Amino acid sequence: MTENSTALQIALAYHKAWTSKDLDLAMSYIADDIVCDAPAGRIEGAEAYRAFMAPFVQILLDVSMIAAFGDEQTALVMYDTTTVPVPSAPGAECVTVKANKITYSRFLFDRAPFEAARR
Amino acid sequence: MTENSTALQIALAYHKAWTSKDLDLAMSYIADDIVCDAPAGRIEGAEAYRAFMAPFVQILLDVSMIAAFGDEQTALVMYDTTTVPVPSAPGAECVTVKANKITYSRFLFDRAPFEAARR
């Protein structure tokens, strides 16, 4: 794992915050003008991003980090989550960090089991 | 990006091979007893893994790497793909490399648009 990586430190601090269900702390690492490309489409701005994350945090039961790497500007993490509807729902995020805030996130997870749980 | 990383070099060579649709070359980086945890479940052994990859390679139109990192034993990559049924189908792979072969892969993509395209 790359040491002393600014982007990775921010990504891990953000990860620790949202997985601890502390959305206020998590959002302190998110730029006001964040752009997030998620499976369902693009999310723009911190308010929309928080509205996207909040329901997921509510159904979150457990998280384990699979791998986390980064360099000065970019971090890439993969983790597994246990959620109320889906027992194993891994996610991956590639984030761009500028001035200690996440300005861009490419966010990836499998929507299929969540859609199946809703049906 | 971490330099001189054995796992990353293998992961990138594997990535280049399968995205060039050279499955024989791609499989030369895959251990005979590979275990791959994919969205639909666990795939065990090189033969089953090749059978899993082959249909995807057939529908593959284009690939762009989003990020790739690694250390001695582990590599984590995220990429976007353009496929026949799904215009943007990103994937992420966290691979474990031993003796220059990928022995384990945690593979992540969103099945939802592929399921929608089939319906």
Side-chain angles (χ1 to χ4, degrees):
Chain A
M1 208 169 288
T2 306
E3 298 294 325
N4 303 316
S5 165
T6 303
L8 182 57
Q9 286 169 349
I10 297 296
L12 291 177
Y14 166 71
H15 181 85
K16 185 177 177 183
W18 76 259
T19 60
S20 305
K21 306 197 173 209
D22 189 340
L23 261 187
D24 289 334
L25 181 60
M27 292 306 298
S28 73
Y29 300 106
I30 301 294
D32 289 344
D33 59 350
I34 185 172
V35 173
C36 173
D37 283 322
R42 178 162 283 194
I43 299 151
E44 295 185 89
E47 194 176 338
Y49 186 81
R50 184 176 181 132
F52 164 70
M53 285 299 292
F56 186 72
V57 166
Q58 284 190 327
I59 60 168
L60 183 67
L61 297 174
D62 198 20
V63 183
S64 59
M65 187 64 87
I66 294 171
F69 292 97
D71 59 21
E72 286 298 303
Q73 291 190 28
T74 305
L76 180 57
V77 301
M78 182 185 280
Y79 48 82
D80 202 2
T81 71
T82 304
T83 69
V84 174
V86 179
S88 172
E93 293 172 45
C94 182
V95 299
T96 304
V97 173
K98 288 177 185 164
N100 292 330
K101 302 270 189 178
I102 295 170
T103 59
Y104 178 78
S105 170
R106 183 79 189 235
F107 183 60
L108 180 53
F109 70 99
D110 181 18
R111 285 178 293 172
F114 291 95
E115 292 181 354
R118 271 196 294 273
R119 284 193 295 263
Chain B
M1 207 170 289
T2 307
E3 299 294 326
N4 302 317
S5 166
T6 302
L8 182 57
Q9 286 170 348
I10 297 296
L12 291 176
Y14 167 71
H15 181 84
K16 186 177 177 184
W18 77 258
T19 60
S20 305
K21 306 197 174 210
D22 189 340
L23 260 188
D24 288 334
L25 181 60
M27 291 305 298
S28 74
Y29 300 107
I30 300 295
D32 290 343
D33 58 349
I34 186 172
V35 173
C36 173
D37 284 321
R42 177 162 283 194
I43 298 151
E44 294 184 90
E47 194 176 339
Y49 186 81
R50 185 176 182 132
F52 164 71
M53 286 299 292
F56 186 72
V57 166
Q58 284 191 328
I59 60 168
L60 184 67
L61 297 174
D62 198 21
V63 183
S64 59
M65 186 64 86
I66 295 171
F69 292 98
D71 58 20
E72 288 296 304
Q73 291 190 27
T74 306
L76 180 57
V77 302
M78 182 185 280
Y79 48 82
D80 201 3
T81 71
T82 305
T83 69
V84 174
V86 180
S88 172
E93 294 172 44
C94 182
V95 300
T96 305
V97 173
K98 288 178 185 162
N100 293 329
K101 302 271 189 177
I102 295 171
T103 58
Y104 178 78
S105 170
R106 184 78 189 233
F107 183 59
L108 181 53
F109 70 100
D110 180 18
R111 285 177 294 173
F114 290 95
E115 293 181 354
R118 271 196 295 273
R119 284 193 294 263

